[in-house]
Amino acid sequence: MIHEIIKKYLPKIIKEKSEIELGNRKEYIGASDIAQCSRKVVLSKLNPVEHDVETLIRLQRGHLTENLLKMIFDKTPYKYTTQMELTHPDLPYLKAHLDFVFYTKDMSKIGVLELKTVSSMPDEPHESWIQQLHFQLGLMILKYPDAEIKGSVLVININTGEMKEFNNYEPNNVIFNALLEKAKKIKMALDGQIEPKTEQGFLCSSCPYKTDCPALIKGEKVEFPDDMKQRVKKLKELVKIEKETKSLKNEIKLYMESIGIKTGIADDIIVQYQSRKGRKTLDEKALKEAYPEIDITPFYKEGDPYSFITLK
Ligand code: SF4
């Protein structure tokens, strides 16, 4: 019942709220668009897909966290605003909606904060986050050319509450101009003048336009895009650490076992030795010997299929 109510009202509420805050996203190219795969952006504006209710709820995590931060910033003496809209003075189809902007009364000092919510904290900010922030900073310096402008990305892990701020970004003409060129090409693709560029990466896995995407090469052996390569390298490091952890644990356990120690003290670290009874398992050989007339084959259950990866 409640599920049906949510399904009925949520899409409408989110659409209305988004139009109030961000306007019609089909009519402009935003900072977050510029930081994404151009083909995906163009198709999402020309042939938008309806998100299912689960995706809509997931996409609200950022807004909910934004409201929480707003309540906190309201208690501080800092001047700030949310969802500030900036438009390129010569290319009005280019806009940015900034999550948080802090400023002094005379606008001589401005701080731009982009908020990202994640379910696993990265060591480094994603390239797309930094591009989005640079586009915002570029538009801001066009509007306030004499201001001292700084930007940061605040990342919050909504599962653990862990926070990380990647800060001290400043407007950078070279990066901004490169992003402007990309934005102009997206506009040309939207107007049907050129084919949009494909930019392969991890997000291809959740892209609604992947089925007929020419960039996705299927096959036995395919070179990964850069952001996937980084993930593989990170995994390889972690696997190595896991192996070392296992070997150290074994050495400590063996030492405690052989001496008969239950608790070991290593300065401020306490090591507890614990043992548990083994899990009960069925001894098939003994069963067959005791009851040779019974065929136990029909009682075997096939597990669900699963997939896994290995690193070499
Ligand atoms: S599958 Fe990847 S490369 Fe293709 S449109 Fe989607 S995001 Fe872009």
Side-chain angles (χ1 to χ4, degrees):
M1 165 79 171
I2 298 290
H3 189 255
E4 290 308 313
I5 295 174
I6 295 172
K7 253 174 130 175
K8 185 174 171 194
Y9 290 98
L10 187 69
K12 200 168 164 266
I13 292 168
I14 291 178
K15 193 165 179 260
E16 284 170 3
K17 195 168 172 285
S18 167
E19 282 194 8
I20 292 168
E21 286 175 1
L22 306 173
N24 185 349
R25 298 188 78 165
K26 283 191 203 171
E27 288 171 2
Y28 66 89
I29 298 167
S32 63
D33 293 331
I34 296 162
Q36 293 186 56
C37 163
S38 302
R39 179 177 184 265
K40 185 179 167 192
V41 171
V42 170
L43 290 177
S44 67
K45 289 182 191 296
L46 296 179
N47 311 309
V49 285
E50 296 277 315
H51 291 305
D52 58 29
V53 75
E54 288 78 12
T55 309
L56 289 177
I57 290 174
R58 234 181 21 249
L59 293 175
Q60 287 308 298
R61 292 174 304 183
H63 297 296
L64 297 174
T65 316
E66 203 174 302
N67 285 340
L68 177 70
L69 286 185
K70 206 169 164 295
M71 286 195 297
I72 296 167
F73 296 150
D74 279 346
K75 295 281 175 205
T76 72
Y78 304 118
K79 282 187 184 307
Y80 82 97
T81 183
T82 54
Q83 293 304 327
M84 178 193 266
E85 182 177 284
L86 294 176
T87 304
H88 191 285
D90 304 322
L91 304 166
Y93 59 84
L94 295 182
K95 289 185 191 293
H97 295 90
L98 284 55
D99 289 340
F100 291 94
V101 176
F102 296 87
Y103 55 91
T104 51
K105 203 173 166 190
D106 58 359
M107 295 306 270
S108 62
K109 286 187 180 179
I110 298 171
V112 174
L113 178 69
E114 174 62 26
L115 172 68
K116 296 291 175 196
T117 49
V118 294
S119 46
S120 113
M121 185 64 79
D123 293 336
E124 299 293 330
H126 293 175
E127 187 60 31
S128 58
W129 298 347
I130 301 307
Q131 287 183 1
Q132 184 180 358
L133 180 65
H134 269 297
F135 195 73
Q136 296 171 347
L137 295 175
L139 290 184
M140 188 65 95
I141 195 92
L142 286 179
K143 185 161 182 174
Y144 299 101
D146 300 323
E148 186 190 317
I149 300 171
K150 295 249 189 250
S152 72
V153 179
L154 176 67
V155 189
I156 299 185
N157 183 332
I158 34 130
N159 293 336
T160 63
E162 185 189 358
M163 286 180 276
K164 225 181 225 182
E165 189 180 3
F166 300 99
N167 56 15
N168 283 330
Y169 291 93
E170 288 177 7
N172 179 313
N173 241 334
V174 176
I175 301 177
F176 183 60
N177 284 335
L179 294 172
L180 268 186
E181 285 312 307
K182 181 176 171 186
K184 286 180 194 167
K185 292 214 170 92
I186 294 178
K187 175 77 169 102
M188 286 166 80
L190 275 170
D191 294 343
Q193 294 165 12
I194 55 168
E195 279 297 312
K197 204 173 157 228
T198 52
E199 286 146 85
Q200 247 189 298
F202 170 65
L203 292 176
C204 290
S205 60
S206 58
C207 173
Y209 309 101
K210 65 175 176 242
T211 328
D212 58 350
C213 178
L216 296 188
I217 307 160
K218 289 178 190 145
E220 288 288 318
K221 207 170 180 179
V222 175
E223 181 90 8
F224 272 151
D226 286 348
D227 61 350
M228 288 306 295
K229 282 183 185 168
Q230 281 167 15
R231 282 173 168 81
V232 173
K233 283 177 192 159
K234 175 92 187 158
L235 177 63
K236 195 158 185 184
E237 278 169 30
L238 292 174
V239 169
K240 197 170 157 242
I241 292 170
E242 198 182 299
K243 275 188 189 156
E244 281 173 23
T245 310
K246 214 171 165 185
S247 148
L248 278 171
K249 268 190 172 173
N250 268 336
E251 284 176 9
I252 298 166
K253 187 169 72 86
L254 203 72
Y255 174 79
M256 293 178 81
E257 240 164 32
S258 60
I259 310 254
I261 302 172
K262 289 282 179 219
T263 303
I265 298 164
D267 297 328
D268 56 343
I269 310 168
I270 311 279
V271 187
Q272 295 277 14
Y273 179 93
Q274 295 179 57
S275 55
R276 301 249 191 279
K277 277 188 184 170
R279 265 182 56 213
K280 275 193 181 169
T281 54
L282 186 68
D283 186 341
E284 280 179 35
K285 197 168 162 241
L287 183 68
K288 276 181 193 159
E289 277 169 14
Y291 302 100
E293 69 285 5
I294 298 178
D295 177 15
I296 60 167
T297 323
F299 297 101
Y300 282 114
K301 200 178 151 207
E302 197 163 329
D304 291 333
Y306 63 98
S307 48
F308 59 94
I309 57 165
T310 53
L311 301 188
K312 288 184 186 159

